[in-house]
């Protein structure tokens, strides 16, 4: 469940 | 954001700063693999292109900018300012053996076949093996300065903490990124041998030197 365009990790 | 993710990020930051300070204070990059640092600069550059396309948080943006700036500063110190101290003769790992397969794999196995996503995937795969030139250099010279081992320890600790972060996120947020997790596991495994030497030697006050 994630939006590939939004990687919130570093 | 959980405590493992935050301490992971801070551990990563500590590693980057330790390396920069070591080079700056000693005016020397002896024992440091310029190739690994070039790869890390490439990792950050290809991963953080989303700075231009999406805003996640002030924390996220500032940390990305700090990582990128520090990695370029490190490369500058090694290849320009303190070039005379760079131990190129021992930094002989063939990086094309990493970059080419990793590039191919990022085209084949990714979340989405779009330029930014492929570059993100490339950076994740590349980061997992980017330390190999540094480890290769240490195995070649048979030793590492203690401060270099602290750098490696924090760099390895960061990925290990991220693994715990992913377990946490899987249970509490239902978040699971297979690409990041597999690459993160590979990356952490590469540090295991080093972790062993760090605990058994460096933490007991001895210099890290390998048997001949």
């Amino acid at each position: 469940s994630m939006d590939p365009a939004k990687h919130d990790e570093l | 954001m959980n405590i493992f993710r935050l301490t992971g990020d801070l551990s990563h930051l500590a590693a980057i700063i330790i390396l920069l300070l070591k080079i700056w204070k000693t005016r020397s990059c002896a024992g440091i693999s310029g190739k690994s640092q070039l790869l890390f600069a490439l990792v950050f550059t290809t991963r953080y292109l989303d700075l231009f396309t999406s805003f996640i948080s002030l924390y996220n943006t500032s940390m990305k900018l700090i990582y990128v700036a520090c990695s370029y500063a490190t490369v500058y110190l090694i290849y320009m300012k303190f070039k005379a101290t760079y131990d190129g003769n021992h930094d002989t790992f063939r990086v094309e053996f990493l970059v080419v397969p990793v590039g191919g794999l990022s085209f084949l196995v990714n979340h989405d076949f779009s330029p930014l996503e492929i570059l993100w995937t490339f950076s994740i795969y590349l980061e997992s093996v980017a330390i190999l030139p540094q480890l290769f250099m240490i195995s070649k010279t048979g030793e590492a300065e203690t401060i270099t081992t602290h750098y490696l320890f924090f760099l390895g600790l960061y990925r290990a903490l991220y693994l715990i972060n992913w377990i946490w996120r899987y249970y509490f947020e239902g978040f699971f990124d297979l690409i990041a997790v597999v690459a993160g596991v590979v990356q952490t495994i590469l540090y295991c041998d080093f972790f062993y030497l760090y605990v058994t030697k460096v933490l007991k006050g001895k210099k890290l030197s390998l048997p001949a």
Side-chain angles (χ1 to χ4, degrees), chain B residues 111-159:
Chain B
H111 291 306
D112 180 34
F113 200 78
S114 67
L116 269 192
E117 193 58 28
I118 290 170
L119 285 168
W120 177 86
T121 312
F122 171 79
S123 92
I124 291 288
Y125 293 153
L126 185 61
E127 184 190 349
S128 69
V129 291
I131 201 61
L132 285 177
Q134 180 65 62
L135 296 177
F136 181 71
M137 194 172 178
I138 290 174
S139 73
K140 236 187 145 191
T141 60
E143 58 177 18
E145 283 178 56
T146 300
I147 188 74
T148 307
T149 66
H150 294 329
Y151 161 71
L152 283 169
F153 172 76
F154 280 106
L155 206 55
L157 179 63
Y158 136 68
R159 238 9 182 183

Side-chain angles (χ1 to χ4, degrees), chain B:
Chain B
M1 176 71 81
N2 57 66
I3 190 70
F4 304 108
R5 160 75 199 285
L6 180 64
T7 46
D9 287 348
L10 293 178
S11 170
H12 197 182
L13 185 63
I16 292 170
I17 302 279
I18 285 172
L19 182 64
L20 257 181
L21 280 181
K22 172 219 147 40
I23 298 175
W24 186 254
K25 295 270 180 191
T26 61
R27 322 297 286 173
S28 162
C29 54
I32 300 301
S33 165
K35 290 184 175 179
S36 274
Q37 296 310 312
L38 272 177
L39 292 181
F40 282 124
L42 184 60
V43 162
F44 290 134
T45 308
T46 49
R47 184 174 312 169
Y48 298 157
L49 288 171
D50 66 351
L51 278 170
F52 297 105
T53 60
S54 59
F55 179 80
I56 291 158
S57 66
L58 189 59
Y59 170 83
N60 192 280
T61 301
S62 5
M63 290 295 267
K64 283 175 176 172
L65 290 175
I66 293 170
Y67 286 179
V68 172
C70 287
S71 78
Y72 277 91
T74 306
V75 166
Y76 165 76
L77 292 184
I78 295 174
Y79 284 101
M80 313 273 282
K81 192 164 176 66
F82 301 126
K83 191 178 178 23
T85 65
Y86 168 55
D87 200 2
N89 288 339
H90 287 124
D91 195 10
T92 50
F93 193 94
R94 300 281 297 273
V95 288
E96 61 271 33
F97 292 157
L98 297 180
V99 175
V100 173
V102 157
L105 189 62
S106 57
F107 268 90
L108 294 173
V109 184
N110 51 53
H111 291 306
D112 180 34
F113 200 78
S114 67
L116 269 192
E117 193 58 28
I118 290 170
L119 285 168
W120 177 86
T121 312
F122 171 79
S123 92
I124 291 288
Y125 293 153
L126 185 61
E127 184 190 349
S128 69
V129 291
I131 201 61
L132 285 177
Q134 180 65 62
L135 296 177
F136 181 71
M137 194 172 178
I138 290 174
S139 73
K140 236 187 145 191
T141 60
E143 58 177 18
E145 283 178 56
T146 300
I147 188 74
T148 307
T149 66
H150 294 329
Y151 161 71
L152 283 169
F153 172 76
F154 280 106
L155 206 55
L157 179 63
Y158 136 68
R159 238 9 182 183
L161 286 165
Y162 256 65
L163 292 186
I164 307 173
N165 155 59
W166 289 323
I167 295 170
W168 180 281
R169 292 191 73 177
Y170 177 74
Y171 278 106
F172 294 104
E173 299 169 27
F175 170 92
F176 182 69
D177 185 337
L178 187 62
I179 287 177
V181 170
V182 171
V185 168
V186 169
Q187 189 171 346
T188 309
I189 289 173
L190 291 182
Y191 285 86
C192 283
D193 185 41
F194 165 78
F195 278 145
Y196 173 76
L197 291 172
Y198 187 80
V199 171
T200 55
K201 288 197 169 179
V202 182
L203 290 185
K204 290 183 177 153
K206 290 182 236 164
K207 193 176 158 73
L208 191 143
S209 56
L210 305 174

